[in-house]
Amino acid sequence: MSENVLKERSELDARYKWDLSSMFADDAAWETAFTALDADIDTVAAFAGKLHDADTLKAYLDAQTALQRKLECLYCYASQRHDEDTRAEDAQSMYARISSKYVKLVTALSFFQPELLGLPQEQLDALVNAPAVADYKFMLQDLLRSKPHTLSQSEEKLLASFGEVMQAPSEAYKSLDDADLVFEPAKNAAGEDVEVTGSGFVPLQMNNDRVLRENAFRSFYKGYRQHINTFAATYAGAVKAAVAEASARHYESSRAMSMAGENVPAEVYDNLIATVRKHMPAMHRYVRLRKKMLGVEQLHFYDVYAPLVRDLDKSYSYETAQEMVLKAVAPLGEDYAETVRKAFAERWIDVYPNRGKRGGAYSGGCYDSKPYILLNYSGTLDSVSTLAHEMGHTMHSWRSRQTQPAQYADYTLFVAEVASTVNENLLIEQLLQNENDPQTRLYLLNQYLENFKGTVYRQTMFAEFEREAHAMVERGEALNAAALNSLYKRLVTDYFGEDMVIDDEIQYEWARIPHFYRPFYVYKYATGYSTAVALSEGILKEGAPAVKRYKEFLSMGGSAYPLDELRHAGVDLATPAPVDAALEKFERILDDAEATLAKL
């Protein structure tokens, strides 16, 4: 849906807009709850200095959990109202105020960890094992792991008060990237000017007009090149903030600090990169297939999103997309499908784009609300896949929140992309199952290959970039534009191979990746996708036992460490085996694509 036909939100049918009343009836109700929050924060903060016995500790943990539930609900409502129309000043105000209140809460409660961990070990062990706090035992045991990295109470409070300051590089990046960065128009093959924007760049790169793709590519990265020193400064600031905190907390590196929260060893990260590099020839083979299918003498980076099957132009109504998702998840059982139908019927989903609406898609909500989904549905197969993806997140949240108490309902980021990708894979496997038309089959196979390329290979490349960028700062090396450009260009050359022209502009691509401002997050996409491949294969081939294990995994929330949760589901990421198996699957799909192409 192009910008000039976007409707105002008020013009959309209510059936296609989410119903946020499970959080608050309206903005006025939100304001009332927001006003009461300060008193609740003061009540919980008053426990400072009193956490010496099990009953008091339980009272604090109960009060803290209740307060965090209230804050989460306030935050989610304000955030989702803001995302409905980012131009709306009332929603902007709500979102800004609750964000500041979150910092106040973190600062007010910063006494808890150092106070508790500062107790004598014998007293601390007795508290953790006391029957009164049995509902919080795993959380408290997990907390003990951080004792060597917990500062004094005054130091923790000081560090917490710098929360917004530490986020300043990320906020500066967002302002530059979202608001201030502008691009020159790009000419298409007919000589007409086409607008280039951040949100519109990838759709332009998917256009069949190669002239437009190239000109949009040049324009887009010219914009980044003109501000590359500023982007380098914001990213260097974010890395230095992470490195400084890690040093203050006595971690060996910023990566160790980032991974410690989920109790994931560095070997998982390093094994991922090593295993993907072992399978690099398969990626280079896919590059050659893309070059052959496009029929170009040279494959450039403005060709990497170009459609390979030009004659396939299917559109799916939202109602058809719902049916497709339900058919795809049928192997997961009627109880799973029934909840999906509930999501469709009860307006858990904000479906269509409107003027001012946030782009992209996500699954949100809080412990006490529906697990909402934001979409910008456009009728493409990619939109159908996005619906399946976000429904996977939502089902993970729903089952966790239905099964676990509030303190264990949130699953970790390490497993966050597993359920979403299982759904995506079930959808594409279902579509491929009975598809014999070579043109359509090749289209689907390429979608599958693109998922691997974008989520395993590309995110691992990002992970390698991050690992080296942070290490450079820790070694005292300059993290300037020249160093970042050189590092990124070297990695791109390795990952895409000699059949790809390494356009000069691609060295600036690192500057447009917002996930780099959330240190050591991107690798989880690759491990999550690899896990999802193993799980979806098991669901389709093994059936009921695999489905049972998978549903139990979806219900575990954060009640165990993520590697243990995945082992329960049947996947052990402590070894390279799952990534190896996933990329062997990639090679089989590549075989199928090459064989299907030969039939055309």
Side-chain angles (χ1 to χ4, degrees), residues 51-175:
L51 304 179
H52 305 305
D53 64 89
D55 289 337
T56 304
L57 178 59
K58 181 184 186 305
Y60 168 79
L61 291 171
D62 286 345
Q64 177 200 50
T65 301
L67 175 57
Q68 287 177 331
R69 282 172 70 172
K70 290 179 181 179
L71 183 74
E72 180 188 34
C73 203
L74 285 160
Y75 181 87
C76 288
Y77 181 87
S79 175
Q80 290 179 228
R81 284 277 290 107
H82 172 265
D83 292 345
E84 292 174 355
D85 186 348
T86 57
R87 305 167 301 173
E89 293 182 1
D90 54 347
Q92 289 176 2
S93 172
M94 292 164 65
Y95 182 61
R97 284 183 289 143
I98 196 61
S99 297
S100 294
K101 198 69 71 177
Y102 176 78
V103 173
K104 178 180 178 180
L105 174 67
V106 170
T107 303
L109 303 188
S110 62
F111 73 88
F112 168 65
Q113 189 165 322
E115 179 177 330
L116 188 69
L117 296 181
L119 295 173
Q121 190 64 46
E122 184 177 345
Q123 184 181 1
L124 187 56
D125 290 339
L127 278 176
V128 169
N129 291 294
V133 295
D135 290 344
Y136 299 95
K137 186 171 183 179
F138 173 71
M139 185 183 81
L140 292 170
Q141 288 176 327
D142 185 44
L143 185 62
L144 293 182
R145 291 192 305 108
S146 64
K147 186 171 183 177
H149 309 289
T150 300
L151 308 178
S152 70
Q153 187 170 330
S154 60
E155 289 171 329
E156 287 290 344
K157 187 172 183 178
L158 179 64
L159 199 57
S161 72
F162 278 100
E164 288 184 289
V165 176
M166 301 283 270
Q167 287 299 310
S170 176
E171 294 302 315
Y173 165 80
K174 290 177 186 176
S175 295

Side-chain angles (χ1 to χ4, degrees), residues 50-349:
K50 302 174 182 177
L51 304 179
H52 305 305
D53 64 89
D55 289 337
T56 304
L57 178 59
K58 181 184 186 305
Y60 168 79
L61 291 171
D62 286 345
Q64 177 200 50
T65 301
L67 175 57
Q68 287 177 331
R69 282 172 70 172
K70 290 179 181 179
L71 183 74
E72 180 188 34
C73 203
L74 285 160
Y75 181 87
C76 288
Y77 181 87
S79 175
Q80 290 179 228
R81 284 277 290 107
H82 172 265
D83 292 345
E84 292 174 355
D85 186 348
T86 57
R87 305 167 301 173
E89 293 182 1
D90 54 347
Q92 289 176 2
S93 172
M94 292 164 65
Y95 182 61
R97 284 183 289 143
I98 196 61
S99 297
S100 294
K101 198 69 71 177
Y102 176 78
V103 173
K104 178 180 178 180
L105 174 67
V106 170
T107 303
L109 303 188
S110 62
F111 73 88
F112 168 65
Q113 189 165 322
E115 179 177 330
L116 188 69
L117 296 181
L119 295 173
Q121 190 64 46
E122 184 177 345
Q123 184 181 1
L124 187 56
D125 290 339
L127 278 176
V128 169
N129 291 294
V133 295
D135 290 344
Y136 299 95
K137 186 171 183 179
F138 173 71
M139 185 183 81
L140 292 170
Q141 288 176 327
D142 185 44
L143 185 62
L144 293 182
R145 291 192 305 108
S146 64
K147 186 171 183 177
H149 309 289
T150 300
L151 308 178
S152 70
Q153 187 170 330
S154 60
E155 289 171 329
E156 287 290 344
K157 187 172 183 178
L158 179 64
L159 199 57
S161 72
F162 278 100
E164 288 184 289
V165 176
M166 301 283 270
Q167 287 299 310
S170 176
E171 294 302 315
Y173 165 80
K174 290 177 186 176
S175 295
L176 176 57
D177 196 58
D178 295 339
D180 296 340
L181 195 62
V182 293
F183 308 97
E184 297 173 358
K187 290 192 180 297
N188 61 19
E192 301 164 329
D193 281 342
V194 177
E195 184 182 17
V196 178
T197 65
S199 61
F201 174 66
V202 171
L204 287 176
Q205 293 299 281
M206 296 172 71
N207 198 286
N208 282 321
D209 183 342
R210 197 178 191 215
V211 173
L212 175 59
R213 292 203 308 269
E214 178 178 358
N215 289 335
F217 178 85
R218 307 288 185 208
S219 166
F220 189 68
Y221 285 111
K222 180 179 179 181
Y224 280 92
R225 177 176 56 79
Q226 290 172 332
H227 298 280
I228 198 63
N229 290 308
T230 304
F231 280 113
T234 60
Y235 182 55
V239 173
K240 289 174 182 177
V243 169
E245 183 179 357
S247 176
R249 293 193 178 282
H250 313 296
Y251 284 98
E252 64 182 48
S253 67
S254 54
R255 184 177 67 153
M257 180 178 71
S258 294
M259 298 180 71
E262 295 171 314
N263 200 25
V264 176
E267 288 77 10
V268 171
Y269 200 106
D270 295 330
N271 283 343
L272 169 69
I273 292 172
T275 307
V276 169
R277 278 194 167 269
K278 185 179 80 170
H279 289 270
M280 209 75 86
M283 181 65 217
H284 299 167
R285 184 176 149 207
Y286 176 55
V287 168
R288 288 193 293 274
L289 176 65
R290 172 166 278 276
K291 181 178 178 181
K292 179 179 179 180
M293 290 181 68
L294 285 175
V296 294
E297 291 186 9
Q298 292 186 319
L299 190 73
H300 290 261
F301 275 93
Y302 49 80
D303 297 319
V304 297
Y305 295 110
L308 297 184
V309 184
R310 301 191 179 200
D311 297 330
L312 189 66
D313 186 21
K314 292 186 177 181
S315 182
Y316 307 87
S317 71
Y318 178 60
E319 288 67 28
T320 299
Q322 291 176 325
E323 294 171 6
M324 292 168 70
V325 170
L326 282 167
K327 192 172 182 180
V329 301
L332 295 174
E334 178 54 30
D335 59 331
Y336 190 102
E338 181 57 35
T339 307
V340 174
R341 283 191 286 269
K342 187 189 200 65
F344 292 149
E346 296 183 358
R347 293 173 54 197
W348 296 11
I349 307 171

